[in-house]
Structures are given as C-alpha cells and as structure tokens.
Amino acid sequence: YTMLMNPGGQTGSGWMQLADGVSPKKLTNKNAVQVGYGMMPVCNGNDVYTFPAFGAQGDENVVTKWGRSGTKLTKTATMPIPLNSVPRHISFVNATKAYLISIIGKLFIFNPQTMELTGEIDLSSYAAPGLAVPMFGSPFVHNGRLYVTLNQTDMTFQPATEPQIELAVINTQTDKVERVIYEKASGIGIGAYTYGQQTFIDEKGDMYLMCTGAYGMNPKYKTGILRIKKGETEFDPTYNWVLNDQTIEGESGKTVWLLQSQYAGNGKMYATMDIPSYWANPTSPNWFTDKSLISVEMDIYNKTVKKLPIPMTSSFGGAVEKYKNLIVFAINGRNDVGFYTHNPATGETSSDAVVKVDGAPAYFHWFEN
C-alpha cells in the first residue's frame, strides 16, 4: 500500500496491489487499485479490508473487503459504516466476529463473512473530563479478551490527562468491559498507535504493549513499552521501558516516538523511531515531510537498541513487517523510496530499496500461503 500526497499532505490517494515475492523490482501504480488515503489495509487469511479516506461520505463511506487469489485481488463485499466514524483497524476473534475501531468512541462488531454490523461497544463514558470520547489504539485479541488502549486525546492528538496508559479489557463472548487498567508511574503516555503490530505475545506468554508518547509532540509524555505477565491482569510494575533517554547504538539523537514494531522472537524486535533532532522545525514535527524516523533492532529483555543502516523515512512510511525470514521496512526516504529488507539471522541489510514504488510506502503484508 502506497500513498500519493497532495501538497501539504492532508489529502491524496492510496494505492494497493499484490507483488509476487520480494525480489528486486520497481512497482508503479499501473496495476494497483485506488483505496482510501492515509488508511492502512488490514489482512486476515486471504482477505484484505480497506477503509474510506477521512471525511468520506455517501457510497464511499464503507469498509471494503477484497479476496486474494494468487496475485489477483477482487472486491467481494462492502459494509456501510456510520458517518464520520473513520475506522482505522480491525482485530479478529474468529471467522464470524471482529472488532472495528472508530474515532467516535465506539467499537463496531461485525461479521467478516457477511460484512454486516452486528453490534457495538460504546466507550464514550470512559472519556477524560473535557473530551467527548476517548481515541482508540490498535486493538488486540488474546485468550478471549479484547485489549484496546483508551488514548485520552483531542482531535489534534493533544493529551487531556497527566501521563498514563489506560487499557480497556473486554470479554469477547459478552462484549462487556471487564476492567480498565492503568499505568501511571513511568510517565509513559499515550497508548498504542492506530495500526500495525502494537501488541504482541512473546514465547513466555507475556504481553508487550507499544506506547506512542503523544506522537512526539509533547516531551512530558514518554514513549516506551509496557508488559502484562502471563496469568496476570495488571501491568507488570517491574517492567516499564521508557525510551526517551535510551542510548541508541549508532545514533547520537534520542527518540520521542516508537512508531511501528515487529517482534521476531527470542526478545528481538524491529521498529521505527522518530528522532526530533532531524525535524526541519526543531519545535514541531511535520509527519508528511520530515525524514526523521530511524530503523532499529531492539532487545526487549536486555533493553538495548541498535540503529540499522537503512535511510531515514517520514512517518508516512515507517511500517515494519515480516516476509519469510526477513524483516521489511517501508522507507519514504530522500533518495530512495520502497521496501528495504533485513535478515535477523545474518545481520545483512539491503543497500537500497529491494522493491521500489511510486508514492510513500506505508504498508506491507506477506500472505504466507
């Protein structure tokens, strides 16, 4: 999935296509299908779900389902959604039930097979004082529970509370909130970003949650990683890895935003981090044009970070995904635009974008079958 931005970056077009493997190539948008701008697709099995662009109305205000067969995508169904809900991400419970996040304080429940809305969970009452609704982070389903961060920010992404992480835990059978847990001691806030792998389970059964830290816009709100140990129902008080003052091997700057991540096993994680010393305006980031994100290898157990030899990218880019035994980084660089690869086993990193694209590369998914 790539994006072509209009001047200023607030509007543009999104383009999605299939590629036969990650081998050196240049992909234009000639064979791509146009989808919503700025909204990353979600893949589940051989199905792909795309979202309307921000502000879409009428016939465009739908979630679209695409079926994959070989290297061909076919539109199979659409699902109308409430106006101005701006869906961002989906978490699947099973073949007939999934949760869709919105910006209107509701989680929508739908049937992925029939593409029909079957219910909703209204979390508006959990909004902090001064806010109409909480914003949601990337949802995550595990062992019969839906985990979704309640990001207490306004529409300009500014926090309305003191630094904290607020995580709603919802029973996927009853669709009722079982509890809301908090982490306030570390200064980390805000919670998970709206797409990508923001939560994962390691080999020990422990859950790790990536936290954005006010998207780098306020240094008071730290970025970092929290943990819920296997069998526990609260955040682990012995683990709150604050990254703002973290030494990064090969990089003199410090980070303010852990953007995207991909867990590779044995405590090794790959990610992109925003470094404000590379912002064009030292006091404010430009997510569309600043080439300020670095690609890193992280050890979540030993708490170490190492910069990888990959060009810096803007936030419209920066996705981290897997392909076979490789980690794939979506890089919207100054001189090279496309997907770079890194081999965790050998440490080898591609010297340039293996798959070059038109537009900002923002998402990648490997269909393992």
Side-chain angles (χ1 to χ4, degrees):
Y1 172 82
T2 62
M3 295 180 290
L4 293 175
M5 292 175 277
N6 293 330
Q10 299 293 338
T11 61
S13 57
W15 298 89
M16 180 177 69
Q17 63 183 301
L18 293 174
D20 188 11
V22 177
S23 58
K25 60 175 67 72
K26 170 64 186 290
L27 294 176
T28 68
N29 291 325
K30 178 180 178 181
N31 297 315
V33 294
Q34 186 171 354
V35 293
Y37 174 70
M39 303 297 177
M40 312 310 151
V42 171
C43 297
N44 185 51
N46 278 317
D47 295 321
V48 183
Y49 300 81
T50 57
F51 306 117
F54 191 94
Q57 304 292 326
D59 293 339
E60 295 181 345
N61 193 49
V62 297
V63 174
T64 303
K65 180 180 178 181
W66 308 76
R68 167 191 168 258
S69 178
T71 56
K72 183 179 180 181
L73 281 173
T74 302
K75 184 187 296 186
T76 58
T78 58
M79 181 175 70
I81 53 175
L83 290 177
N84 303 314
S85 54
V86 192
R88 299 289 186 94
H89 205 352
I90 300 170
S91 190
F92 297 86
V93 179
N94 52 44
T96 59
K97 185 175 185 179
Y99 295 98
L100 174 70
I101 65 170
S102 74
I103 67 166
I104 59 174
K106 295 180 179 181
L107 302 173
F108 296 112
I109 309 167
F110 75 101
N111 185 327
Q113 288 186 348
T114 64
M115 289 297 283
E116 294 177 330
L117 291 174
T118 58
E120 63 182 40
I121 303 173
D122 192 339
L123 297 175
S124 300
S125 62
Y126 291 91
L131 297 179
V133 298
M135 296 292 116
F136 301 132
S138 176
F140 182 74
V141 168
H142 177 63
N143 283 348
R145 303 292 182 273
L146 170 69
Y147 298 84
V148 58
T149 49
L150 306 179
N151 296 335
Q152 304 290 357
T153 68
D154 60 22
M155 291 299 292
T156 66
F157 307 105
Q158 293 304 295
T161 66
E162 290 298 301
Q164 66 175 31
I165 298 301
E166 189 173 340
L167 183 67
V169 183
I170 298 168
N171 187 304
T172 59
Q173 289 189 333
T174 64
D175 297 323
K176 303 297 184 183
V177 177
E178 290 188 338
R179 61 188 181 274
V180 176
I181 62 175
Y182 297 84
E183 200 284 334
K184 300 181 180 181
S186 67
I188 292 177
I190 306 154
Y193 196 39
T194 52
Y195 68 90
Q197 187 193 70
Q198 302 296 329
T199 308
F200 64 83
I201 308 296
D202 73 353
E203 298 89 331
K204 303 174 186 178
D206 297 338
M207 180 184 298
Y208 288 82
L209 178 71
M210 311 300 115
C211 303
T212 64
Y215 314 102
M217 298 181 69
N218 188 329
K220 179 180 179 180
Y221 298 83
K222 308 301 182 182
T223 191
I225 304 174
L226 299 176
R227 178 170 71 188
I228 301 174
K229 298 197 74 173
K230 182 180 179 180
E232 299 295 328
T233 59
E234 299 288 338
F235 285 112
D236 180 359
T238 70
Y239 189 100
N240 44 36
W241 188 9
V242 178
L243 293 167
N244 297 65
D245 295 322
Q246 173 70 37
T247 298
I248 303 172
E249 181 183 339
E251 170 59 52
S252 59
K254 304 292 186 180
T255 190
V256 291
W257 181 11
L258 177 64
L259 183 71
Q260 294 292 314
S261 66
Q262 192 68 217
Y263 185 61
N266 298 315
K268 189 175 287 187
M269 188 180 87
Y270 293 89
T272 47
M273 292 177 163
D274 195 10
I275 309 293
S277 57
Y278 297 116
W279 295 348
N281 179 347
T283 63
S284 178
N286 186 316
W287 297 323
F288 307 107
T289 59
D290 283 340
K291 310 299 182 182
S292 58
L293 267 65
I294 63 170
S295 302
V296 299
E297 178 184 278
M298 306 176 68
D299 187 323
I300 62 172
Y301 299 151
N302 297 309
K303 296 184 178 180
T304 60
V305 182
K306 179 175 69 174
K307 183 180 180 179
L308 297 175
I310 294 175
M312 289 183 292
T313 179
S314 67
S315 300
F316 267 41
V320 189
E321 304 288 342
K322 291 180 181 178
Y323 174 74
K324 296 184 178 179
N325 63 330
L326 301 174
I327 303 296
V328 177
F329 292 86
I331 301 299
N332 180 26
R334 294 186 185 279
N335 302 312
D336 198 14
V337 175
F339 297 98
Y340 281 68
T341 61
H342 174 79
N343 188 323
T346 66
E348 181 181 3
T349 303
S350 62
S351 58
D352 58 2
V354 178
V355 179
K356 301 179 186 296
V357 298
D358 287 340
Y363 176 80
F364 175 94
H365 176 77
W366 170 42
F367 292 96
E368 298 184 29
N369 60 345

